[in-house]
Amino acid sequence: MKDYQTEISELRDIVQKYDNIVFFGGAGVSTESGIPDFRSVDGLYHQQYDYPPETILSHTFYRSNPKEFFRFYRNKMLFPNAQPNAAHKKLAQLETQGKLRAVITQNIDGLHQAAGSKVVLELHGSVLRNYCVSCGQFHDLQYIMDTKDVPVCEKCGNPIKPDVVLYEEGLDQKTINDAVRYISAAQVLIIGGTSLAVYPAAGLIDYFSGDKLVVINKAPTPRDSHADLLIQAPIGEVFSQI
């Protein structure tokens, strides 16, 4: 296994020097918390179901087959006992120190906030928020876990939808605008734990024009050749050393 001490030392120097850092992360940030990613060899996309995950996690499927949607959703998308790992904790610490301006995440698990991060832009929503499609009543994660089949609103009896962006649905425009603003103004952009394969989210990094682009990911990404610093290692292991 390669020793990344030289690269980690360089990352440590970058973090020490700059105080306008933005982090853009994906599923790989949470794998060390026990949440499987979507596209790794043993991830969700390599398991077998009656329907492909892309089909089940689509707006059309949610509307047409909500019972099967929620069976998959509860079994494969919810990890209520997951805890923040070293990456989540270090990012929260850097924010407290005034170095990190924002976390922009493709994850829906809420672990950045659980670690203490305040400025978190959730591009794909969060499993912690669920709303009645009729009256808008809020329901927490535990309510979804405790109900069976299709959860309905305790207030009006209509179906509940998780506040997550499904396939065929657009991203929240305000979240996109805020992400563009933070990335455009950043001196340092750290991309971590993402294959940069999911659009339009991955396209947001095109707005970066700062001093240092850092990429931390176990597998290659399309931006590796553009990075000022590339570390191909688990992000929790890297962040625990800076």
Side-chain angles (χ1 to χ4, degrees), residues 73-90:
Y73 182 75
R74 289 190 184 94
N75 288 342
K76 300 299 180 184
M77 303 301 291
L78 303 181
F79 299 86
N81 298 319
Q83 298 296 317
N85 61 50
H88 299 106
K89 294 174 182 176
K90 176 57 70 170

Side-chain angles (χ1 to χ4, degrees), residues 19-25 91 99-104 121 178-179 181-192 208 212-214:
D19 60 2
N20 184 350
I21 302 169
V22 169
F23 179 81
F24 182 96
L91 288 165
K99 291 191 166 293
L100 186 79
R101 299 294 177 90
V103 168
I104 301 167
L121 306 183
D178 289 345
R181 179 166 53 86
Y182 278 111
I183 291 172
S184 298
Q187 297 169 307
V188 177
L189 178 63
I190 301 176
I191 299 171
F208 177 68
K212 297 289 185 181
L213 177 64
V214 179

Side-chain angles (χ1 to χ4, degrees), residues 8-184:
I8 290 172
S9 178
E10 187 175 344
L11 177 59
R12 198 180 296 124
D13 291 342
I14 291 172
V15 168
Q16 186 173 357
K17 178 180 178 181
Y18 291 94
D19 60 2
N20 184 350
I21 302 169
V22 169
F23 179 81
F24 182 96
V29 178
S30 291
T31 52
E32 289 165 271
S33 293
I35 299 179
D37 74 10
F38 274 56
R39 289 174 173 79
S40 66
V41 173
D42 55 352
L44 189 58
Y45 274 68
H46 290 263
Q47 301 177 30
Q48 298 299 313
Y49 303 98
D50 291 341
Y51 304 90
E54 296 100 325
T55 299
I56 299 175
L57 295 174
S58 69
H59 182 81
T60 298
F61 195 91
Y62 163 77
R63 293 293 298 272
S64 64
N65 198 342
K67 184 175 179 179
E68 183 67 8
F69 171 88
F70 276 104
R71 186 174 76 87
F72 178 92
Y73 182 75
R74 289 190 184 94
N75 288 342
K76 300 299 180 184
M77 303 301 291
L78 303 181
F79 299 86
N81 298 319
Q83 298 296 317
N85 61 50
H88 299 106
K89 294 174 182 176
K90 176 57 70 170
L91 288 165
Q93 180 186 340
L94 292 175
E95 183 185 40
T96 300
Q97 294 171 348
K99 291 191 166 293
L100 186 79
R101 299 294 177 90
V103 168
I104 301 167
T105 180
Q106 299 171 83
N107 296 341
I108 57 176
D109 50 47
L111 290 181
H112 285 292
Q113 291 93 327
S117 289
K118 305 298 184 189
V119 183
V120 181
L121 306 183
E122 295 172 312
L123 296 173
H124 296 151
S126 172
V127 300
L128 304 183
R129 301 185 298 268
N130 306 273
Y131 297 97
C132 173
V133 298
S134 179
C135 74
Q137 176 75 20
F138 170 83
H139 298 79
D140 62 15
L141 174 60
Q142 195 59 50
Y143 187 83
I144 304 300
M145 299 288 293
D146 291 343
T147 52
K148 296 188 183 304
D149 296 331
V150 181
V152 296
C153 178
E154 54 189 348
K155 183 177 178 181
C156 73
N158 283 296
I160 293 169
K161 181 182 181 297
D163 188 19
V164 299
V165 178
L166 303 177
Y167 289 99
E168 305 168 345
E169 295 180 344
L171 304 189
D172 177 72
Q173 192 60 50
K174 182 182 184 304
T175 305
I176 292 176
N177 292 343
D178 289 345
V180 169
R181 179 166 53 86
Y182 278 111
I183 291 172
S184 298

